[in-house]
Every structure is written in structure tokens, then in C-alpha cells.
Amino acid sequence: IPREKVADICRTSGTTGNPIYVFMSHADLRQAFEIVARQYISHGIEGWGNGMALFLPLDELINPSLVQEVCFRDIMKIPFYRIGAISRDKQLRYILDLKPGSVDATPSSFFTLGKYIQEQGIDPHTLNIKRAHLTGQPLYGPGWKPLVLKTKIEEMWGCEIISAYGTTELFSGNIECSAHAGHHVPHESVLMEIVDPDTGKPLPQEKQGEVVFTTLYREAMPINSYRTKDISWMEIETCPCGAATPRVMAVLERKDDYLKIKGNGMFHANLENAVMKV
């Protein structure tokens, strides 16, 4: 479509290089909002409590604030509080004043917020957060086993943790189901594949490899065979939740995150998980 018909522009964080700008038309946005809202609704609308508090960044063309606001406020009719990635004391004040039933954050920031709240003499359990929708970091490892960080967050807050996996380029994302058995792919709008990280050749979906996706109906910026550098695997059998959609499982590492320490190879996630144990 011509540039004057672009409705929204967001950008990636530039983790692996220069930021990429992602263009969306009105039709692209509507489809993305409906897909994400459907994934949230599959958990039951009542389980989100008295509103969703967003602790993710709100500035610099970052898209989660836009997607979440439309999904919760306009489609699901649940109050939505645009709090953002501000100081811990202000985040706590908003929680005490607004009493949201759920939050959206990165795992590490939600964990450090809980630590801050404990330091103020408050038990996070008493704040009645029912659900935490967490994105931006892995919560599971090989075999879909919870990482230490996820276990500690659950113990600290006493709420249901919902993992999300996606990229800014994908926009709509893949959200963990109510059975907590993988990130369901909205397969009517995106094709996901697993390929060999070195050769780019397709692998059987149960094999570990690089996640690649193709958007099927996007009109402003169609994306074809986009290599994410994320290493994971897919499950295609019917999920315990009853859905037959394919699932992207745990992101084990990023292809370019491999570290060499005194001759030993490891990924950042391995190091983080070891440190979190102590």
C-alpha cells in the first residue's frame, strides 16, 4: 500500500543491530488486535481482575502499549492503566491506588518490583494480582521446564504467570495457553517454521532450530521467511487445552548470544538461570 495509507509505525528495540521500522495499515492493526484479544480471552475474561496495569515502555514507537490498550479496553472491556516503565516507588503507588487485577511486564522487572515491595514491608500476595502477562525474556527452558526466575516470581506474587513470545516485526505475538503448554501460534495469519540455524533448511517441527515466520495477510509490510535468530522447537499435536493450533515452545537462546568463557561455551540464559538459583 502507499505510504499515506499507513496507519501506524512501530520499531524494534535494536537488540541485534539497528532498529527496524514496522509499518501497519488499519486492516493490519484490526487483525492483530483481534488475534491478541482472542488469545487473552481464552484464559477467561474474569481472571484478569479489576483492570490491567502495563509496566512495559510507552515511548519511542514501542508497540505493546498500543496492542494491549486496544485489546483490554476496547475489545475485552477491561480497564487499562498505562503506567509504563517508571520508578518502583511510583509503580507501587499505582498498584495501591488503582488495585489492578493483572499486570503486563518483563519477567525481570516484575521480579525486581516484587523485591522492592517486600523491602517496603508489604507482602506482594496481599496486593491481589491474579495474573501476570510476561514478555521479553524466556520463562521456560529445555523440555518446557520452568526456569528459576518463573518459579521465584510465582512464589513471590502468588499469581498465574502467562508467558508470551513474539517479536515487534510479528506484532501479534504468541501467547501461552490456559494449560501452560506452549505459545499458541495464530496460524491463520502467520506461518511459523523451524530451520537449521546454519543452512536455513527446514527441520522437523519437533527438532530444535531457528524460528522463522511469514505473515500471510499483512498489506502494509508483508514479511517473508523472516529469521528471528531465536532457537526453539514446535509442537503440532493437540494441546492439553484442546486447541489444535501449533505451538512455539521455549526460546532456548538467541543464535548470536553464544558466549565463550575460559574455553567453555554457554548462552546468556544458562548464566542467568544459574545465578538466579543463588
Side-chain angles (χ1 to χ4, degrees):
I1 61 173
R3 175 66 183 268
E4 62 267 20
K5 291 189 177 181
V6 169
D8 186 80
I9 300 173
C10 61
R11 73 165 183 82
T12 65
S13 60
T15 303
T16 58
N18 293 325
I20 296 172
Y21 291 94
V22 180
F23 298 83
M24 301 287 282
S25 70
H26 287 284
D28 295 336
L29 290 172
R30 278 197 304 272
Q31 183 186 61
F33 296 149
E34 290 168 0
I35 287 170
V36 176
R38 184 187 68 206
Q39 293 176 309
Y40 287 141
I41 291 169
S42 70
H43 288 267
I45 289 182
E46 68 285 346
W48 298 98
N50 183 33
M52 160 70 82
L54 182 77
F55 293 146
L56 295 173
L58 300 171
D59 54 1
E60 294 203 46
L61 301 180
I62 301 298
N63 74 9
S65 55
L66 171 65
V67 178
Q68 318 297 47
E69 181 172 6
V70 173
C71 287
F72 281 91
R73 186 196 64 198
D74 298 340
I75 299 179
M76 297 167 63
K77 311 300 182 184
I78 293 175
F80 186 80
Y81 312 122
R82 300 178 303 277
I83 296 173
I86 56 177
S87 64
R88 298 285 179 251
D89 60 324
K90 288 184 178 180
Q91 288 179 336
L92 173 57
R93 174 47 53 194
Y94 280 122
I95 291 177
L96 294 173
D97 289 347
L98 301 176
K99 298 178 173 56
S102 51
V103 301
D104 197 327
T106 63
S108 59
S109 67
F110 192 49
F111 177 72
T112 55
L113 174 60
K115 295 285 284 185
Y116 173 81
I117 290 172
Q118 289 175 333
E119 291 167 359
Q120 309 313 304
I122 302 173
D123 182 354
H125 287 72
T126 64
L127 299 176
N128 296 315
I129 301 294
K130 299 178 181 296
R131 282 181 180 153
H133 177 264
L134 305 180
T135 187
Q137 289 172 262
L139 290 171
Y140 296 91
W144 193 248
K145 294 181 179 178
L147 297 177
V148 176
L149 178 60
K150 178 178 186 290
T151 302
K152 289 198 172 190
I153 292 174
E154 288 174 325
E155 293 172 351
M156 175 183 290
W157 287 90
C159 64
E160 180 185 13
I161 304 297
I162 297 173
S163 171
Y165 165 66
T167 69
T168 301
E169 300 91 326
L170 182 59
F171 204 91
S172 58
N174 313 279
I175 299 175
E176 184 180 11
C177 67
S178 57
H180 301 285
H183 306 102
H184 282 269
V185 178
H187 71 303
E188 77 281 20
S189 66
V190 60
L191 171 67
M192 284 212 165
E193 304 170 276
I194 301 295
V195 305
D196 185 295
D198 298 319
T199 66
K201 293 183 179 180
L203 294 174
Q205 291 182 309
E206 67 277 5
K207 296 290 186 181
Q208 293 180 11
E210 185 175 358
V211 179
V212 172
F213 70 83
T214 297
T215 59
L216 301 180
Y217 298 109
R218 194 176 296 176
E219 60 182 12
M221 185 177 171
I223 297 175
N224 182 35
S225 298
Y226 187 83
R227 298 185 63 162
T228 65
K229 298 185 180 180
D230 293 331
I231 304 300
S232 185
W233 75 100
M234 292 181 68
E235 300 283 356
I236 58 174
E237 74 278 2
T238 300
C239 177
C241 77
T245 53
R247 288 162 287 149
V248 176
M249 306 305 287
V251 177
L252 304 176
E253 67 243 10
R254 287 185 66 88
K255 182 182 175 184
D256 50 3
D257 273 355
Y258 194 69
L259 304 173
K260 274 281 194 176
I261 301 176
K262 294 184 178 180
N264 297 312
M266 69 175 68
F267 288 92
H268 290 163
N270 305 131
L271 186 59
E272 180 184 47
N273 201 46
V275 172
M276 284 299 299
K277 293 179 180 179
V278 293

